[in-house]
Amino acid sequence: MNAMNILLFDTLSSKIALKPFSDTRPIAKIRIGITTIEEKWNAYIPATYSFATERYLQTKFSSISTEKNLCINGSILPNQPLIDAIKKLKPNETLVTGDTIIAFWCDHISALYLYPDNISKVQTTNISLPFTGEITQLKNKWDIFTYNAQAIIEDFKQIKEIKATQPLHDPHTIVYNPENIFIEEGAVIKAAILNAEAGPIYIGKNAIVEERAVIKGPVAIGEGAQIKVGSYISQGTTIGPYAKIGGEVSNSVVFGYSNKAHDGFLGHSVIGEWCNLGASTITSNLRNDYKKVTVWDDAMEDFVNTNLQFCGLFMGDHSKCGIHTMFNTGTVVGVSTNLFGTGYFKRFIPSFTKGSPIDNLFTYDLEKALTSIENTMGRRNKELTQADKSILTHLSEEAMHIWLKSVI
C-alpha cells in the first residue's frame, strides 16, 4: 500500500459550494474533527497523496501522477466500509453514491485532466458500482461545523487505537469521564474543567489549557493551541493548531494559527487560517424570529436556505476584524478582509474588502494586504511564500471583477 499514488480531486461544484475555505486550499485540506480530510485518508491508506484542483492552487498544492493513480473525491470523509469498497475497485470500475463519484483508477495521461469537472470524461467507459453504506460529504460550507462533532468522535477512536494518552498531572483540574479524554505529549493543563460525559476531548501536543477554562466534549484542541483563562469551549468545537482562543466558542471549527484571544461569542461558525477576531467580537447564530438561516451562495449569487436553526460566521483565511465587531447570522466573509467599526456588517463581504458598517466598504489594496499578512505570519516565525502570494494575487484579481456587483 505504501507505493500507492492517490489523487484527492476537487469538483468545480464543490469548490464553489465551500468558498471561501476552498479559495485557498484543496477541499481535502479542510480541517474537520481532529484532522484534515487528507490526514484522515492517509490514516486509513498510507500512500503518496497529492491534489487535483484549480490551476492557481497548483503552485502550492501540486499533483503527482504516476502510471496508475487512485483518484478519490476530496470532499468525502473516509470510514472503514468505504475503505473496504475502494480497496476492491478494479481499473474498469468507479465507486459512486447517487450522482457523486467517490473513487476510480486512472492512468497518468487521464490524471492531468481531472479538474475541473472532467472526471466523468476520464472514466466514461467504467462500470459504476453503487456504494450503499453511509457517506459523510462536505456539500456546503455549513457542513463543516454540522458534521464536526461526529468527525471528532471518529478521529478520537482511531487515535486511541494506535496511541496511549499522557497522564494528567495537575491536581487542580476537574475531570469527568477521564477514559474519554486523550492528552498528547507536552500538553499543559492547569486548574481547568474537562467534561467528557457527552463526547471525547482531545488535547494536542504542546497545547495549553489555562486556569478556569471549561471544555465540554466533543472538543478537539490542536497542537500548540492555547485556550485562555476563563474560556468556555463546548460541544462540536475544533480549535486548530497554534490557534489562540478566549471567551465562548460553541460548535465551531477554527483553522490553524487564528486568534480569538478575548471575550466574545463564536457559535456554529467556521474560521479559516491566520484570522484575527478583535476583543468582544460577537457572532449571532440564531435569528430573533427563529426562522431558518440563509447564507450567501456563490453559484446562485444569492442567499440560499440552509435549513438550519443555528448558523453563524464563515470567515476566509487572512481576514481580520476589530474590537466589538458584530456579525449577523449566516454571514460569509471572504479571504483577506479588514473589517472594523460598530454595527452589523452586510451578510456577504467579498474577498479583499476593507471598511466598516457605517462607512462605505472598499477594495483592500493587494500590496497593503500582503504586508499585513507578512507581519501577522512573521510574529509566529512563519513566512508568506511566493506560492502563497501567487494564490492571493489571483484571488485579489478575481475579487476586483466581482466586487462591485457582489456587495449587497
Side-chain angles (χ1 to χ4, degrees):
M1 300 300 290
N2 288 329
M4 186 181 295
N5 189 66
I6 295 179
L7 278 167
L8 295 170
F9 66 82
D10 294 338
T11 66
L12 186 58
S13 55
S14 292
K15 289 288 288 183
I16 294 172
L18 291 164
K19 283 175 170 285
F21 310 108
S22 57
D23 281 333
T24 46
R25 60 178 57 77
I27 292 169
K29 283 288 187 180
I30 288 175
R31 184 171 300 277
I32 177 171
I34 298 173
T35 61
T36 65
I37 297 174
E38 176 200 7
E39 289 168 337
K40 296 181 202 307
W41 281 105
N42 207 356
Y44 277 102
I45 309 177
T48 299
Y49 281 81
S50 61
F51 307 93
T53 187
E54 291 198 66
R55 187 175 297 276
Y56 77 90
L57 289 174
Q58 290 285 330
T59 56
K60 183 175 182 179
F61 306 100
S62 60
S63 59
I64 300 170
S65 180
T66 58
E67 184 177 347
K68 289 296 177 183
N69 308 275
L70 178 59
C71 304
I72 299 176
N73 192 322
S75 67
I76 293 175
L77 279 61
N79 57 47
Q80 192 58 56
L82 185 55
I83 295 297
D84 294 340
I86 288 174
K87 287 182 176 180
K88 295 176 183 177
L89 268 182
K90 298 175 182 176
N92 64 335
E93 296 174 338
T94 300
L95 193 65
V96 300
T97 176
D99 295 330
T100 299
I101 295 172
I102 300 173
F104 61 94
W105 287 93
C106 70
D107 58 28
H108 175 69
I109 296 175
S110 298
L112 301 177
Y113 301 99
L114 276 179
Y115 190 90
D117 279 353
N118 288 324
I119 296 108
S120 57
K121 298 176 185 177
V122 171
Q123 38 77 62
T124 49
T125 60
N126 281 10
I127 301 168
S128 291
L129 296 181
F131 179 72
T132 57
E134 292 186 3
I135 289 286
T136 300
Q137 182 181 14
L138 300 186
K139 295 181 179 179
N140 300 290
K141 56 180 69 72
W142 51 88
D143 290 340
I144 300 172
F145 69 74
T146 300
Y147 298 142
N148 196 53
Q150 186 57 41
I152 292 172
I153 292 169
E154 294 301 322
D155 289 345
F156 188 86
K157 289 177 184 176
Q158 279 214 321
I159 289 171
K160 284 197 73 174
E161 288 177 359
I162 61 174
K163 290 183 181 180
T165 183
Q166 298 297 305
L168 177 64
H169 297 293
D170 180 57
H172 305 294
T173 292
I174 300 171
V175 174
Y176 298 90
N177 199 18
E179 60 272 14
N180 221 17
I181 296 172
F182 192 97
I183 302 170
E184 295 277 12
E185 182 181 359
V188 177
I189 305 163
K190 293 184 177 180
I193 297 176
L194 308 180
N195 186 342
E197 291 177 323
I201 296 173
Y202 171 86
I203 300 176
K205 183 180 179 181
N206 297 328
I208 298 172
V209 180
E210 295 183 349
E211 296 84 351
R212 295 189 295 106
V214 178
I215 300 177
K216 296 185 69 174
V219 164
I221 310 297
E223 178 178 348
Q226 183 178 6
I227 308 302
K228 306 284 280 187
V229 169
S231 304
Y232 175 40
I233 315 297
S234 63
Q235 290 138 324
T237 292
T238 291
I239 307 301
Y242 303 99
K244 296 181 180 180
I245 300 297
E248 181 179 358
V249 182
S250 174
N251 195 187
S252 297
V253 178
V254 179
F255 292 3
Y257 293 95
S258 286
N259 293 341
K260 179 198 169 299
H262 305 284
D263 285 344
F265 174 70
L266 181 71
H268 297 84
S269 299
V270 184
I271 307 298
E273 290 186 335
W274 297 105
C275 295
N276 188 77
L277 278 62
S280 299
T281 292
I282 298 289
T283 64
S284 170
N285 64 340
L286 175 66
R287 289 173 54 136
N288 59 11
D289 60 6
Y290 288 80
K291 289 183 179 180
K292 298 298 174 67
V293 179
T294 59
V295 166
W296 178 259
D297 181 272
D298 283 88
M300 300 294 293
E301 294 190 340
D302 200 355
F303 290 91
V304 296
N305 193 350
T306 64
N307 291 312
L308 295 175
Q309 188 97 64
F310 294 92
C311 185
L313 170 67
F314 304 92
M315 178 178 279
D317 291 359
H318 302 294
S319 283
K320 298 174 176 62
C321 63
I323 61 172
H324 299 294
T325 305
M326 298 192 298
F327 293 106
N328 219 324
T329 49
T331 295
V332 178
V333 175
V335 173
S336 189
T337 65
N338 188 339
L339 308 176
F340 46 85
T342 58
Y344 281 109
F345 281 90
K346 300 284 188 179
R347 292 201 303 122
F348 171 56
I349 308 294
S351 296
F352 289 89
T353 294
K354 186 174 182 178
S356 70
I358 59 175
D359 299 318
N360 290 328
L361 297 173
F362 50 93
T363 55
Y364 191 11
D365 178 75
L366 174 63
E367 291 306 316
K368 291 181 179 179
L370 291 179
T371 298
S372 174
I373 292 169
E374 287 178 322
N375 291 340
T376 300
M377 295 180 70
R379 294 180 69 242
R380 304 286 195 97
N381 298 314
K382 295 293 183 180
E383 180 185 0
L384 184 68
T385 66
Q386 284 302 125
D388 293 323
K389 290 180 181 179
S390 174
I391 291 169
L392 292 167
T393 299
H394 173 89
L395 294 174
S396 175
E397 293 170 352
E398 187 179 80
M400 288 297 291
H401 288 102
I402 66 172
W403 194 86
L404 288 176
K405 71 174 182 177
S406 297
V407 177
I408 55 177

